C-alpha cells in the first residue's frame, strides 16, 4: 500500500463506533453480507435497451452468491431473442458479481442484470422472508403450465378503435361486439395447451378445439370480427 507524504505525516486517530454491515432479509434469515457468497434470493425485474426499443424480464434464483436458475423473457427486438438464448447458457453457474460484469450481448438483458443485482444485494427479493428460499424451478412457475411467457398485445387507432391481439388467455381469434360495436368479450386459442395436446397425440383440429376458449359476454355478441383482418 502506497501512502502520500501528507498521510504519512498524520497522527493516528482510532475509529470509535463501527457496527458493520446492516443486516438484510434473505430466505427468512437476517444476514450481514460482506461478500458475494453471503447473498441468496429469488427475484425478477425489467431491463431496457439504450434506445428503449425493447425490454427484458429477467428472473434469477441465487443460492450462496451463485446463480442456479435464470429465466430470460424478451420483447421488441428480433436480435434480443437470440441474445436471450445466449444469456440462458451464460448465467447459471456465475456468481452475481461475475454476471454483473459479463456482457450478456443485449443492452436490455444487461440492464435487467444490473437492476436485479441491486434488488438481491439489498435483500429486496420475492424470497426474502421464505424459509430456505424458493426451490430451483420456481422461475418456470412464471410461465404457467404451457411454458409460455404471459404476453399481452393490443392495438388501437383513433379512426378504427381498439384491437385485442393476444392476452394471457392466448391468441385472440375473434372479438365479440355489441350493438354499439364495443368489445364485450373474445374467443381465443391457448397455443401452449394446443401444443401439449398435439404432443400427446391429438390431431391438429382436435387440439385446436380443446385449446379454444372464450372470455366475457360472448353469448351476447351481435357480431364477431377477426382483430387482425377486420
Amino acid at each position: 500500500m502506497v501512502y502520500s507524504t501528507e498521510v504519512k505525516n498524520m497522527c493516528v486517530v482510532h475509529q470509535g463506533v463501527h457496527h458493520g454491515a446492516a443486516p438484510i432479509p434473505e430466505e427468512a434469515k437476517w444476514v450481514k453480507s460482506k461478500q458475494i457468497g453471503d447473498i441468496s434470493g429469488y427475484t425478477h425485474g425489467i431491463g431496457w435497451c439504450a434506445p428503449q426499443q425493447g425490454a427484458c424480464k429477467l428472473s434469477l434464483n441465487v443460492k450462496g452468491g451463485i446463480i442456479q436458475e435464470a429465466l430470460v423473457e424478451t420483447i421488441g427486438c428480433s436480435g434480443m431473442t437470440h441474445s436471450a438464448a445466449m444469456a440462458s447458457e451464460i448465467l447459471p453457474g456465475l456468481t452475481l458479481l461475475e454476471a454483473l460484469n459479463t456482457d450478456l450481448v443485449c443492452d436490455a438483458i444487461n440492464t435487467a442484470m444490473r437492476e436485479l443485482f441491486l434488488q438481491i444485494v439489498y435483500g429486496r427479493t420475492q424470497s426474502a422472508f421464505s424459509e430456505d428460499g424458493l426451490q430451483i424451478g420456481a422461475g418456470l412457475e412464471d410461465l404457467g403450465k404451457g411454458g409460455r411467457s404471459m404476453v399481452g398485445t393490443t392495438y388501437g387507432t383513433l379512426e378504427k378503435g381498439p384491437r385485442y391481439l393476444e392476452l394471457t388467455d392466448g391468441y385472440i381469434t375473434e372479438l365479440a361486439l355489441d350493438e354499439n360495436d364495443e368489445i364485450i368479450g373474445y374467443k381465443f386459442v391457448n397455443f401452449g395447451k394446443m401444443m401439449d395436446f398435439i404432443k400427446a397425440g391429438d390431431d391438429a383440429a382436435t387440439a385446436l378445439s380443446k385449446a379454444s376458449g372464450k372470455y366475457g359476454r360472448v353469448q351476447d355478441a351481435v357480431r364477431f370480427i377477426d382483430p387482425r383482418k377486420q
Side-chain angles (χ1 to χ4, degrees):
M1 194 72 67
V2 178
Y3 293 93
S4 67
T5 301
E6 289 81 3
V7 173
K8 287 179 181 179
N9 292 333
M10 290 178 181
C11 64
V12 176
V13 176
H14 294 286
Q15 287 181 308
V17 178
H18 180 60
H19 297 297
I24 62 173
E26 288 186 24
E27 301 186 343
K29 300 185 294 288
W30 289 100
V31 178
K32 288 191 174 185
S33 59
K34 298 181 180 179
Q35 53 190 2
I36 288 296
D38 295 331
I39 301 295
S40 295
Y42 174 86
T43 195
H44 44 236
I46 302 296
W48 53 94
C49 61
Q52 298 188 17
Q53 295 176 346
C56 166
K57 177 190 171 188
L58 180 62
S59 304
L60 297 179
N61 203 344
V62 180
K63 303 290 185 184
I66 298 175
I67 297 171
Q68 302 290 335
E69 175 186 20
L71 171 64
V72 190
E73 301 173 83
T74 60
I75 188 170
C77 170
S78 58
M80 191 188 301
T81 61
H82 294 78
S83 299
M86 297 177 67
S88 68
E89 293 193 45
I90 294 169
L91 286 170
L94 297 185
T95 69
L96 272 180
L97 191 57
E98 287 176 314
L100 184 66
N101 288 288
T102 296
D103 183 6
L104 301 173
V105 186
C106 167
D107 278 350
I109 304 175
N110 286 326
T111 302
M113 184 64 234
R114 181 194 71 199
E115 297 302 308
L116 263 66
F117 178 87
L118 294 175
Q119 291 181 32
I120 294 171
V121 299
Y122 284 121
R124 296 180 174 92
T125 67
Q126 278 68 44
S127 59
F129 300 102
S130 301
E131 189 172 357
D132 296 326
L134 300 183
Q135 65 181 359
I136 310 304
L140 290 176
E141 295 179 5
D142 289 350
L143 302 179
K145 292 183 178 179
R148 301 187 78 237
S149 297
M150 302 296 178
V151 176
T153 306
T154 61
Y155 176 75
T157 60
L158 180 61
E159 178 70 22
K160 300 296 184 178
R163 299 293 188 277
Y164 301 168
L165 303 176
E166 185 156 357
L167 299 176
T168 300
D169 295 317
Y171 176 96
I172 308 302
T173 56
E174 291 183 295
L175 293 179
L177 306 182
D178 64 9
E179 61 275 4
N180 299 317
D181 284 335
E182 294 179 357
I183 299 171
I184 59 173
Y186 52 80
K187 296 180 181 179
F188 63 87
V189 176
N190 187 308
F191 281 153
K193 290 182 179 179
M194 180 178 172
M195 292 307 300
D196 286 341
F197 290 138
I198 291 174
K199 288 187 289 184
D202 287 343
D203 61 78
T206 300
L208 177 62
S209 176
K210 291 169 68 174
S212 297
K214 58 186 179 180
Y215 178 83
R217 296 188 291 114
V218 174
Q219 69 279 1
D220 298 330
V222 173
R223 68 186 181 112
F224 294 90
I225 64 169
D226 181 337
R228 291 170 175 78
K229 295 182 179 180
Q230 294 174 268

